[in-house]
Amino acid sequence: MKHVVVRNIPRGPQEAIAELATHGVATVHEAMGRTGLMAPYMRPIYPGASIAGTAVTALVAPGDNWMLHAAIEQCRPDDILVVGVMSRNTDGMIGDLICTSLKTRGIKGVVIDAGCRDVRALTEMRFPVWSRAISARGTVKATLGNVNLPVVCAGVNVNPGDAIVADDDGVVVVPRLEIAGTLELARQRTEKEEKSRQRYLAGELSLDVVNMRAGLQAAGLVYVDNANEI
Amino acid sequence: MKHVVVRNIPRGPQEAIAELATHGVATVHEAMGRTGLMAPYMRPIYPGASIAGTAVTALVAPGDNWMLHAAIEQCRPDDILVVGVMSRNTDGMIGDLICTSLKTRGIKGVVIDAGCRDVRALTEMRFPVWSRAISARGTVKATLGNVNLPVVCAGVNVNPGDAIVADDDGVVVVPRLEIAGTLELARQRTEKEEKSRQRYLAGELSLDVVNMRAGLQAAGLVYVDNANEI
Amino acid sequence: MKHVVVRNIPRGPQEAIAELATHGVATVHEAMGRTGLMAPYMRPIYPGASIAGTAVTALVAPGDNWMLHAAIEQCRPDDILVVGVMSRNTDGMIGDLICTSLKTRGIKGVVIDAGCRDVRALTEMRFPVWSRAISARGTVKATLGNVNLPVVCAGVNVNPGDAIVADDDGVVVVPRLEIAGTLELARQRTEKEEKSRQRYLAGELSLDVVNMRAGLQAAGLVYVDNANEI
Amino acid sequence: MKHVVVRNIPRGPQEAIAELATHGVATVHEAMGRTGLMAPYMRPIYPGASIAGTAVTALVAPGDNWMLHAAIEQCRPDDILVVGVMSRNTDGMIGDLICTSLKTRGIKGVVIDAGCRDVRALTEMRFPVWSRAISARGTVKATLGNVNLPVVCAGVNVNPGDAIVADDDGVVVVPRLEIAGTLELARQRTEKEEKSRQRYLAGELSLDVVNMRAGLQAAGLVYVDNANEI
Amino acid sequence: MKHVVVRNIPRGPQEAIAELATHGVATVHEAMGRTGLMAPYMRPIYPGASIAGTAVTALVAPGDNWMLHAAIEQCRPDDILVVGVMSRNTDGMIGDLICTSLKTRGIKGVVIDAGCRDVRALTEMRFPVWSRAISARGTVKATLGNVNLPVVCAGVNVNPGDAIVADDDGVVVVPRLEIAGTLELARQRTEKEEKSRQRYLAGELSLDVVNMRAGLQAAGLVYVDNANEI
Amino acid sequence: MKHVVVRNIPRGPQEAIAELATHGVATVHEAMGRTGLMAPYMRPIYPGASIAGTAVTALVAPGDNWMLHAAIEQCRPDDILVVGVMSRNTDGMIGDLICTSLKTRGIKGVVIDAGCRDVRALTEMRFPVWSRAISARGTVKATLGNVNLPVVCAGVNVNPGDAIVADDDGVVVVPRLEIAGTLELARQRTEKEEKSRQRYLAGELSLDVVNMRAGLQAAGLVYVDNANEI
C-alpha cells in the first residue's frame, strides 16, 4: 500500500454540487442511472441533515484513526471527508474534537464506513456524520493508510474530488465529471415528479399516470375477481 | 408462480380493527397467544406511528416494484399494503410518489420486507411505513409477482384480509376470523395490566403481584446472602 | 448452572458513579484504557438518556424473563439492571410493567442483551433501556437462571456491584474497585479535551495540537502535490 | 396459539416426490415458477445429501424442543420433519438421540430453522439435517407449540403434507396439490437443460443457445471495442 | 487496560481434561447445566477435529496480533490458545507460521474470536483452529493487550487455566475448579444416553423413554385426528 | 448507468499471474502491502481450489443474471469472471449450465458477490466459484448492467484486466500494472517465510525469530509471575 497524502485534488463546481442536495439522494441516484449509492447500513447520526460537497478521501486501518488527522489538513470549506477502512470495523473513529476542528474549518460533514462517537455533542453542534455504527470504542494511531487516493466506502468506489450527496435516505457519489449532467437530469426528474405528484393528489393511479396497464397484461398478469377463480 | 391480481378480498370489521391499535402491538400479540409477530428488523421510519387496518398483499421480485402499482388499485380506505419479496432485498421500493397516492386514497400505511426511501418527505406527510431498511436504491419494473395471494412478510404468513397492527414495537398480523376474539382478549389484558400497574406504582413486586415465589422455589431457586455462600 | 439469587452485593460510591455519567461513555471508556465497552449493537430506546449506577445482574434463558422478576427485588435506588442471555435472543423481555416497577423503586435504567417492548410508553415515562433490539415478542416464565452472579452482557463480563455508565454512545462497565481511579482519569481527560477544543475552535490542526507530524513522517508517510506524482 | 397435535395429514404420492429429488432443488424451484425456496442460510450439515419427502411440521419456542418429541410420533417412513421457531434462535434442538429415533422409524431427514448438534455423529450415520446453525446449546422442555399446523420455516409457509426437496443448494417446498404438475415441468426442464448442456460443451454461447442478442440490443446494450470509446 | 503477561497460571488435571473431549462439547455443556458454550459463529476450519486442553488467554486489538507472539511463549504442551479481541474483527491473525510454532511446542489448537488464514496448510498439518471467520487479511504489531488475564471470547468469560473442549459442535469452557465434577456428570450423561439410544434403535419413542406424555397433557396439549377439528 | 460491453481489455502476463497462485492469497495480499483483499464472506464452494487469472468484470442487477451471458463471450482462456451486484443479493446467478460453458471455453473460475447454485455438479466438474452465498434461487433476464467496466466486488474495486488470485483463504485483486512487482515481493516473502518455518520447527519463538522482545518492552508490556502481582 502506498502511504501517501495527495495535497491537491480537482474539485467540481460548488454551486452545482450544492444544488444536488436540494434534489435529494434518491433523485440524484436515479439521475445517475441508479448508480453510486452506498450500502444502506450507512445512516445519519441524527435525522434531517442534508448536505453536498466534494470528497476528500482517507483510508484507515481497523481501530486506527491516525490518517484522519492527516486528512483534516487537506479539507477545504464545503468539502466532505469520506473514510474507507481496510477491513470491517465499527470503532468510534470520529468524535467531537475532530468534528469541532472540521466544522471550524468549514467542512460540511463526514461519511465513514466505521463508527462515530460523541453523537449527542455532534447533534447539538449540528455537524452531520453518516456512519455504519455508533460506538464509543476508542482508536489508536499506529498504522499508516493514505489520503486522497481512490477508496471504496460502503461498496462504492470514491475518487477524491467526486461530489457526495447525503441525506436521510443515504449517501450517493457523483463522479466529478458527471456533476453537471447529473444535475440537469435531476432537475428534469424533480420537475416531472412534481407533475406526477399533482395527479396522484388528484386521485389518479400510477397504473395510468405511468401507463403500465398494457405492459402488465403483455407480461401475463391476470386479474380475477376472487381467489377461488385461480 | 401464479401472476394474478385478486380484486375482491374479505375484510374484517374496521371498528374492531381500529380498536386493536389502541391496545398496541405487544398486547395484541399476547392476546393471540404470542403469535403473528413479524421479525424485529421491521422498524417504523419515524417514531410514534400507530395504525391498524386490513392487509392488501403483494409479492415482488428483489429490486423490482412493478407489482406495487397493481396493488395500489386494490387498496381501499383503511387498508394497509403488505409487501413480501421473493428473496432478501433492501432496495427502496416505496417512496413519496407511491405514498402520496396511497395516502390520497385513504390507505393507512405500508409494511414492506424491503427498503423505503424519501423518508423525510414521508415523515413530514405523516404517512407511516414499516420496513427492513431505508435505502434510496431505485427499482425496475420488469418482473411479475402477484397481488392478494398469501405472502410471507418478515417471517409471518399474511392472508389478504387479515388485520395488521403496527406501532413502535413492530408489526403483528391477526387472521381475519380471529379479530373479534383477539380484541376481547386484548381488552381483558389491557384492563388487567392497568390494575397491575397501579400495584407496581404503589411499590409492590411482581413476585407478589403475579405470585411467583412458590414457583421459583419449587423449580429450585436458592437465595443466599452473599456470593461466597454458593 | 447454579440457580441462585445473591441478596447482598458490594456497591461503589454513588456520588463518584454519578459523576462518571457527566463525563460520558466515550471518556470513561478511554479513562479505563479503552476497555469495558459493550458491543455497539446495544442502543438506547430513545436519544438523550445518560445514566450511571450500580449493576444488579441477571442471567436469563432465551425467550424467558422469569429471573427478571427475582432480580427486581434485589435492586435498590440508583441501581441499573444488567441482563445477559444464555444464547442470542431478541425477544421483548422488558416492557412497561416491569419498568414501572423498577422506576417506582428508584432504579435508573436497564441494560439488556435481548429485546425491549412498549418503547413508546417507556419513552413517555423517561425510563431508559439499552437493548439489542426492539421487539413486542412476549416471553415465558419457565426456566431458572440466576441473579447477582457475574454475567457476560454484549461481550463484557459484568460483576454485580460494578458501575455502569450508559448514554447515546453505548454502555461501559467500570469494575467496582476501579471507580475512583477511573473518575480521576476521566476528569483529567475532560479537562484536557476542553483545552484542545478551544484550540480546534481557533482553527488549529490536530496534527499540531497533538504533535503528530514527526511520527507520521517517521512511519513513512509521504506528501505529494498531485496524484500523478505517485 | 393453539396447542394442538394433528394426527392425520394428507400425503402426496411418494414415488413422484422421490423423483423430485433426482431433479434437484434448483430445477424444482424453477419448475414452480421460482417459488417455495427457503432462505439460503439453511445449510446441510454435510455435503452430498439429497432427499425428498412429506413435511410433518412443528412449531417450537426459542431454546425449547419439547414439541419435537410430540412430532416424532407423527412421522412416518419417508417423511421429513420441518421445524419453525417462534423467534430467531440457533440453539441445538436436534441431536443424535432424536435423529437416531427418526432414522430408526424411516424418516428421511430434518429441516429446522434453528440449530443442530452432534453433527459428527449425524454425519457418520448419514442422517441429513438442514439448519440455520450448528450449536451444542441445549434446550429445555417447558413451552408448548404445535404439530402439523402450517408453519413458516426460513421464510416459506409450509403446510403439513407438502413435499420437501433438499440438497446442497438448499430446501424447496412444493405444495401437495402441485407435486404432479411440478414433477412434469421439472422433467421437461431437466431434459431441455441436458440439450443445452451439450451445446455448451460444444462451445456454443448462451447468447445464441438462448437467443439473447436481439433482446440485449433492443434494451440498449452497446458494444465498444475499447473503454476509451465510451 | 493493564498491559501484562502473567507467566504462571494454574492448570487442571490433563487426564481428566482429555477425557472431557471424548464426551464431546454437547455433553460437557449439558453436564455444566448448559453453561460455558461459545457463540455458534465459532467454527472449526476443518471437520472432525476434537480437542481438550488448558486455556492460555490473550487479548488483542482489532487487526493487530502482536500479543499472540507473547502468548505463544506462555503455552505449554496440551494447552489451547484462546484469543479475545477488543472489538469485532475478522482479520487473519493466525496462520501457518504461528501454528507451526504452536504445534511444534505441543499446543493442541487455537480458539480465536477473529479470523484465521492459511487454512489449507493448517488442514494439511492437522492443527485445528476454531474461529469466527476465514480471512487472509494481514495484521499489524502495534498495540499492546495482555496475556493470561480473563478474557471474553465469543460471549464466554475465560479464565486462564480453565479447560477448553472443542469439536464439530463448537467450543465450551469448563472453569478449572469444576473440571472433576463436570467429568463425572458427563460420564453419567454419556452412559444414560447410550441406554436411551438402544431404546430408540429398538423403535421406542422419546415420549415414552423420557416419559413426557403426562407433562404435555398437563400443559394443555390437545391431540386431534384432523386439522378441521380445531 | 452506461449499458456497455467493452470487447478488448488489457491482460497481464499469464505466466506471472499463474505463479501468483502458487504463493497463495495470504502471501500475495501481504506482498501488496495488505491491500486488495475481498471481504471474508466470499467463500469457495468446495475446499482446495486455487486459481489465478485475468478479471473480466460484469455488473448485474439483484436477482438478474442477464449480463453474465454477455460477459461469457468476452472471456478468454485463463480469465476469471468477476461479478458485482447493484445491491446486496444472494440469488443463485451462476449454475452448472453457465459454468459448463465457461469451463469449456477455458475460463478458470468465477468470483461473484451474489449466490451460486448447482454446487454439487460444479464440485464434481471441479469448476471453482467463490460466492457470498449458495442459493438455488433463480434469476430473471430483464435489466441491463455492463461488462468490462470497473466494478466493486465484495468491497474491492476491480478493473478489467486486473489479476485475481483465489484460494481457501479468499480472493485478492492485483492491479494489472502491479503484477510483476507483487510477484517479486511474493517470492521474497515465501522464501523468507520458509526460513522462519524451519526455525519454528526447531522450537524457536517468534519473539526471537522476529525480534520482538525489545519493542514489547518499550511499548510498556510487563511480565509478572502470577496474577496477584498485578
Side-chain angles (χ1 to χ4, degrees):
Chain A
M1 186 187 303
K2 295 173 191 81
H3 297 142
V4 173
V5 177
V6 177
R7 285 205 185 90
N8 295 298
I9 61 171
R11 284 175 169 83
Q14 177 58 22
E15 199 170 323
I17 295 171
E19 190 184 329
L20 285 174
T22 67
H23 296 286
V25 168
T27 295
V28 170
H29 160 69
E30 291 283 354
M32 292 181 66
R34 291 183 195 132
T35 62
L37 191 74
M38 291 191 184
Y41 62 69
M42 296 296 283
R43 300 297 306 144
I45 58 168
Y46 58 84
S50 172
I51 62 172
T54 297
V56 166
T57 61
L59 177 64
V60 302
D64 190 314
N65 76 348
W66 207 12
M67 295 313 294
L68 298 189
H69 299 277
I72 295 169
E73 190 177 30
Q74 307 308 319
C75 291
R76 297 186 191 168
D78 293 330
D79 283 349
I80 292 175
L81 179 57
V82 177
V83 185
V85 189
M86 296 178 198
S87 70
R88 189 185 183 284
N89 183 253
T90 59
D91 294 349
M93 295 193 180
I94 287 273
D96 66 347
L97 288 186
I98 286 181
C99 291
T100 295
S101 177
L102 287 167
K103 194 185 180 195
T104 301
R105 297 168 65 86
I107 284 81
K108 290 203 161 174
V110 174
V111 172
I112 180 166
D113 199 355
C116 177
R117 65 181 187 180
D118 302 325
V119 294
R120 191 174 184 183
L122 299 189
T123 301
E124 285 167 0
M125 70 166 84
R126 306 310 283 175
F127 186 81
V129 176
W130 283 256
S131 68
R132 77 177 298 157
I134 292 170
S135 171
R137 175 75 53 185
T139 49
V140 298
K141 300 179 206 318
T143 304
L144 293 185
N146 54 55
V147 174
N148 278 332
L149 293 186
V151 67
V152 173
C153 180
V156 179
N157 195 44
V158 184
N159 285 285
D162 288 347
I164 303 293
V165 187
D167 63 19
D168 288 324
D169 284 347
V171 184
V172 69
V173 183
V174 184
R176 186 173 52 90
L177 298 179
E178 299 178 25
I179 292 170
T182 298
L183 177 57
E184 182 50 35
L185 291 169
R187 283 174 182 157
Q188 292 172 17
R189 190 176 172 89
T190 295
E191 193 175 1
K192 185 181 160 200
E193 288 196 344
E194 186 48 37
K195 286 180 188 162
S196 299
R197 186 175 291 108
Q198 295 309 316
R199 294 179 67 179
Y200 294 132
L201 285 169
E204 283 191 81
L205 284 165
S206 54
L207 287 177
D208 302 312
V209 170
V210 192
N211 209 12
M212 284 187 251
R213 292 190 193 274
L216 287 167
Q217 188 176 7
L221 190 66
V222 175
Y223 284 76
V224 299
D225 277 342
N226 291 290
N228 54 19
E229 295 174 23
I230 303 173
Chain B
M1 186 187 305
K2 296 173 191 79
H3 297 143
V4 174
V5 177
V6 177
R7 284 204 187 90
N8 295 298
I9 61 171
R11 283 174 170 83
Q14 177 58 22
E15 197 170 326
I17 295 171
E19 189 184 330
L20 285 175
T22 67
H23 296 287
V25 168
T27 295
V28 171
H29 159 69
E30 291 282 355
M32 291 181 66
R34 291 184 195 130
T35 62
L37 190 74
M38 292 191 183
Y41 63 70
M42 295 295 282
R43 298 299 304 145
I45 59 169
Y46 57 85
S50 171
I51 62 172
T54 296
V56 167
T57 61
L59 178 64
V60 301
D64 190 314
N65 76 349
W66 208 11
M67 295 314 293
L68 298 190
H69 298 276
I72 295 169
E73 190 177 30
Q74 307 308 320
C75 292
R76 299 187 189 166
D78 293 331
D79 283 348
I80 292 175
L81 179 56
V82 178
V83 185
V85 189
M86 296 177 198
S87 69
R88 189 186 184 282
N89 183 255
T90 59
D91 294 349
M93 296 196 179
I94 288 271
D96 65 349
L97 288 186
I98 286 181
C99 291
T100 294
S101 178
L102 288 167
K103 193 184 181 193
T104 301
R105 299 167 67 84
I107 285 82
K108 291 204 161 174
V110 173
V111 173
I112 180 167
D113 199 356
C116 177
R117 66 182 187 179
D118 302 325
V119 294
R120 191 175 182 181
L122 300 188
T123 301
E124 285 167 0
M125 71 166 81
R126 307 310 285 177
F127 186 82
V129 176
W130 283 255
S131 68
R132 75 177 298 155
I134 293 170
S135 172
R137 174 76 54 187
T139 50
V140 298
K141 302 179 205 318
T143 304
L144 293 185
N146 54 55
V147 175
N148 277 332
L149 293 186
V151 67
V152 173
C153 180
V156 180
N157 194 44
V158 184
N159 285 286
D162 288 347
I164 303 292
V165 187
D167 63 18
D168 288 324
D169 283 348
V171 184
V172 69
V173 183
V174 184
R176 186 173 53 90
L177 298 179
E178 299 178 25
I179 292 170
T182 298
L183 177 56
E184 183 50 35
L185 290 169
R187 283 173 180 157
Q188 292 171 17
R189 189 175 173 90
T190 295
E191 191 174 4
K192 183 180 161 202
E193 287 195 345
E194 185 50 37
K195 287 180 187 161
S196 299
R197 185 174 292 107
Q198 295 310 317
R199 294 179 67 179
Y200 294 132
L201 285 169
E204 283 190 79
L205 284 165
S206 54
L207 288 177
D208 301 312
V209 171
V210 192
N211 208 11
M212 283 186 253
R213 291 188 193 274
L216 287 167
Q217 187 176 6
L221 189 66
V222 175
Y223 284 75
V224 299
D225 277 341
N226 292 289
N228 54 18
E229 295 175 21
I230 303 172
Chain C
M1 187 188 304
K2 296 173 192 78
H3 297 142
V4 174
V5 177
V6 177
R7 284 204 186 91
N8 295 298
I9 61 170
R11 283 174 170 83
Q14 177 57 23
E15 197 170 325
I17 294 172
E19 189 185 330
L20 286 174
T22 67
H23 296 286
V25 168
T27 295
V28 170
H29 160 69
E30 291 282 354
M32 290 180 67
R34 293 185 193 129
T35 63
L37 191 74
M38 291 190 183
Y41 61 69
M42 296 296 283
R43 299 298 305 144
I45 60 169
Y46 58 84
S50 171
I51 62 172
T54 296
V56 166
T57 61
L59 177 65
V60 301
D64 190 315
N65 75 349
W66 207 12
M67 294 313 294
L68 298 190
H69 299 277
I72 295 169
E73 190 177 30
Q74 306 309 319
C75 292
R76 300 187 190 166
D78 293 330
D79 283 348
I80 293 175
L81 179 55
V82 177
V83 184
V85 189
M86 296 176 199
S87 69
R88 189 186 184 283
N89 183 255
T90 60
D91 295 349
M93 296 193 180
I94 287 272
D96 65 347
L97 288 186
I98 285 181
C99 291
T100 295
S101 177
L102 288 168
K103 193 184 180 194
T104 301
R105 299 168 67 85
I107 285 83
K108 291 203 161 174
V110 173
V111 172
I112 180 167
D113 198 356
C116 176
R117 66 181 186 180
D118 303 324
V119 294
R120 191 175 184 181
L122 300 189
T123 301
E124 286 167 359
M125 70 166 82
R126 307 311 283 175
F127 186 82
V129 176
W130 283 255
S131 68
R132 76 178 297 154
I134 293 170
S135 171
R137 174 76 54 187
T139 49
V140 299
K141 299 179 207 319
T143 304
L144 294 184
N146 54 54
V147 174
N148 277 333
L149 293 186
V151 67
V152 173
C153 180
V156 179
N157 195 45
V158 184
N159 285 286
D162 287 347
I164 302 292
V165 187
D167 63 19
D168 289 323
D169 283 348
V171 184
V172 69
V173 182
V174 184
R176 185 172 55 88
L177 298 179
E178 299 178 24
I179 292 171
T182 298
L183 177 56
E184 182 50 35
L185 290 169
R187 284 172 181 159
Q188 291 172 17
R189 191 175 171 90
T190 295
E191 191 175 2
K192 184 181 160 202
E193 287 196 344
E194 185 50 36
K195 287 180 188 163
S196 299
R197 186 174 293 107
Q198 295 309 318
R199 295 180 67 180
Y200 294 132
L201 285 169
E204 283 191 82
L205 285 165
S206 54
L207 288 177
D208 302 313
V209 170
V210 192
N211 209 11
M212 284 186 252
R213 292 190 193 273
L216 287 167
Q217 188 176 6
L221 190 66
V222 175
Y223 284 76
V224 300
D225 277 342
N226 291 289
N228 54 17
E229 295 175 22
I230 303 172
Chain D
M1 185 187 304
K2 297 175 191 78
H3 298 142
V4 173
V5 177
V6 177
R7 285 203 186 90
N8 295 298
I9 62 171
R11 284 174 169 82
Q14 177 58 21
E15 197 170 326
I17 294 171
E19 190 184 331
L20 286 174
T22 68
H23 296 285
V25 168
T27 295
V28 170
H29 160 68
E30 291 283 354
M32 291 181 66
R34 293 185 193 128
T35 62
L37 190 73
M38 292 190 185
Y41 62 69
M42 295 295 284
R43 300 298 304 145
I45 59 169
Y46 57 84
S50 171
I51 62 172
T54 297
V56 166
T57 60
L59 178 65
V60 301
D64 190 314
N65 76 349
W66 207 12
M67 294 313 293
L68 297 190
H69 299 277
I72 295 169
E73 190 177 31
Q74 307 308 318
C75 291
R76 299 185 190 168
D78 293 330
D79 284 348
I80 292 175
L81 179 56
V82 177
V83 184
V85 188
M86 296 176 198
S87 70
R88 189 184 184 284
N89 183 254
T90 59
D91 294 349
M93 296 194 180
I94 288 273
D96 65 347
L97 288 186
I98 286 180
C99 291
T100 295
S101 177
L102 288 167
K103 194 184 180 193
T104 301
R105 298 168 67 85
I107 285 82
K108 290 203 160 173
V110 174
V111 172
I112 181 166
D113 198 355
C116 176
R117 66 182 187 179
D118 302 324
V119 294
R120 191 174 184 181
L122 301 189
T123 301
E124 285 167 359
M125 71 166 82
R126 306 311 284 175
F127 186 81
V129 176
W130 283 256
S131 68
R132 76 177 298 155
I134 293 170
S135 171
R137 174 77 52 185
T139 49
V140 298
K141 300 179 205 320
T143 303
L144 293 186
N146 54 55
V147 174
N148 278 332
L149 293 185
V151 67
V152 173
C153 180
V156 179
N157 195 43
V158 184
N159 285 287
D162 288 346
I164 303 292
V165 187
D167 63 19
D168 289 323
D169 284 347
V171 183
V172 69
V173 182
V174 185
R176 186 173 53 89
L177 298 179
E178 299 178 26
I179 292 171
T182 298
L183 177 56
E184 183 51 34
L185 290 169
R187 285 172 179 157
Q188 292 172 17
R189 189 175 173 91
T190 295
E191 192 175 2
K192 185 182 159 201
E193 287 197 344
E194 185 49 36
K195 287 179 187 162
S196 298
R197 185 174 291 107
Q198 295 309 316
R199 294 180 67 180
Y200 294 132
L201 285 168
E204 283 190 82
L205 284 165
S206 54
L207 287 177
D208 301 313
V209 170
V210 192
N211 210 12
M212 283 186 251
R213 291 189 193 274
L216 286 167
Q217 187 176 6
L221 190 65
V222 176
Y223 284 76
V224 299
D225 277 342
N226 291 290
N228 55 17
E229 294 175 22
I230 303 172
Chain E
M1 187 187 302
K2 297 174 192 77
H3 297 143
V4 174
V5 177
V6 177
R7 285 203 186 91
N8 295 297
I9 61 170
R11 284 174 169 83
Q14 177 57 22
E15 197 171 325
I17 295 171
E19 190 185 329
L20 286 174
T22 68
H23 296 286
V25 168
T27 295
V28 170
H29 160 70
E30 292 282 356
M32 290 181 66
R34 290 183 194 130
T35 61
L37 191 73
M38 291 190 184
Y41 61 69
M42 295 295 283
R43 300 297 305 144
I45 59 169
Y46 58 84
S50 171
I51 61 172
T54 296
V56 166
T57 61
L59 177 65
V60 301
D64 190 314
N65 76 348
W66 208 12
M67 294 314 293
L68 298 189
H69 299 276
I72 296 169
E73 189 177 32
Q74 307 309 319
C75 292
R76 300 186 188 168
D78 293 330
D79 283 348
I80 293 175
L81 179 57
V82 177
V83 184
V85 189
M86 296 177 198
S87 69
R88 189 186 183 282
N89 183 255
T90 60
D91 295 348
M93 295 195 181
I94 288 271
D96 65 348
L97 288 186
I98 286 181
C99 291
T100 295
S101 178
L102 288 167
K103 193 183 181 193
T104 301
R105 299 168 66 84
I107 285 81
K108 290 203 159 173
V110 173
V111 172
I112 180 167
D113 199 355
C116 177
R117 66 183 186 179
D118 302 325
V119 295
R120 191 175 183 181
L122 300 189
T123 302
E124 285 167 359
M125 71 166 83
R126 307 310 284 175
F127 186 82
V129 176
W130 283 255
S131 67
R132 76 177 299 155
I134 293 170
S135 171
R137 173 77 54 186
T139 49
V140 298
K141 299 179 207 321
T143 303
L144 293 185
N146 54 53
V147 174
N148 277 332
L149 293 186
V151 67
V152 173
C153 180
V156 179
N157 194 45
V158 184
N159 285 286
D162 287 348
I164 303 292
V165 187
D167 63 19
D168 288 323
D169 284 347
V171 184
V172 69
V173 183
V174 184
R176 185 173 54 90
L177 298 180
E178 299 178 25
I179 292 171
T182 298
L183 177 56
E184 182 50 35
L185 290 169
R187 284 172 180 158
Q188 292 172 17
R189 189 174 173 90
T190 295
E191 192 174 4
K192 183 180 161 201
E193 287 195 346
E194 185 49 37
K195 287 180 188 161
S196 298
R197 186 174 292 108
Q198 296 309 317
R199 294 179 67 180
Y200 294 132
L201 285 168
E204 282 190 81
L205 284 165
S206 54
L207 288 177
D208 302 313
V209 171
V210 192
N211 208 11
M212 283 186 254
R213 292 189 193 274
L216 287 167
Q217 187 175 6
L221 190 66
V222 175
Y223 284 76
V224 299
D225 277 342
N226 292 289
N228 55 17
E229 295 175 22
I230 302 171
Chain F
M1 187 187 304
K2 296 173 191 79
H3 298 142
V4 174
V5 176
V6 177
R7 284 203 186 90
N8 295 298
I9 61 171
R11 283 174 170 84
Q14 177 59 23
E15 198 170 323
I17 295 171
E19 190 185 330
L20 286 174
T22 67
H23 296 287
V25 168
T27 295
V28 170
H29 159 69
E30 291 281 355
M32 292 181 66
R34 290 183 196 131
T35 63
L37 190 75
M38 292 191 184
Y41 61 70
M42 296 295 283
R43 298 300 304 145
I45 59 169
Y46 57 83
S50 170
I51 62 172
T54 297
V56 167
T57 61
L59 177 65
V60 302
D64 190 314
N65 76 348
W66 208 11
M67 294 314 293
L68 298 190
H69 299 277
I72 295 169
E73 190 177 30
Q74 307 308 320
C75 292
R76 299 188 189 164
D78 293 331
D79 283 348
I80 293 174
L81 179 56
V82 178
V83 185
V85 188
M86 295 177 199
S87 69
R88 189 185 184 283
N89 183 254
T90 59
D91 294 350
M93 297 195 179
I94 288 272
D96 66 347
L97 287 186
I98 286 181
C99 291
T100 295
S101 177
L102 288 167
K103 194 185 181 194
T104 301
R105 299 168 65 85
I107 285 83
K108 291 203 160 172
V110 174
V111 173
I112 181 167
D113 199 356
C116 177
R117 66 182 187 179
D118 303 326
V119 294
R120 191 174 184 181
L122 300 189
T123 301
E124 285 167 0
M125 70 166 82
R126 306 310 285 176
F127 185 82
V129 176
W130 284 255
S131 68
R132 76 177 299 155
I134 292 170
S135 171
R137 175 75 54 184
T139 50
V140 299
K141 301 179 206 319
T143 303
L144 293 185
N146 54 55
V147 174
N148 276 333
L149 293 186
V151 67
V152 173
C153 179
V156 179
N157 194 45
V158 184
N159 285 286
D162 288 347
I164 303 292
V165 187
D167 63 19
D168 288 323
D169 283 347
V171 184
V172 69
V173 183
V174 184
R176 185 173 53 89
L177 298 179
E178 300 178 24
I179 292 170
T182 298
L183 177 56
E184 183 50 36
L185 290 168
R187 284 172 181 157
Q188 291 172 17
R189 189 176 172 91
T190 295
E191 192 175 2
K192 185 182 159 199
E193 288 196 343
E194 185 50 36
K195 286 180 188 162
S196 298
R197 186 175 291 108
Q198 295 311 316
R199 294 179 66 178
Y200 295 132
L201 285 168
E204 283 191 79
L205 284 164
S206 54
L207 288 177
D208 301 313
V209 171
V210 193
N211 209 12
M212 284 186 253
R213 292 189 193 274
L216 287 167
Q217 187 176 7
L221 189 66
V222 176
Y223 285 76
V224 300
D225 277 341
N226 291 290
N228 54 19
E229 295 175 21
I230 303 174

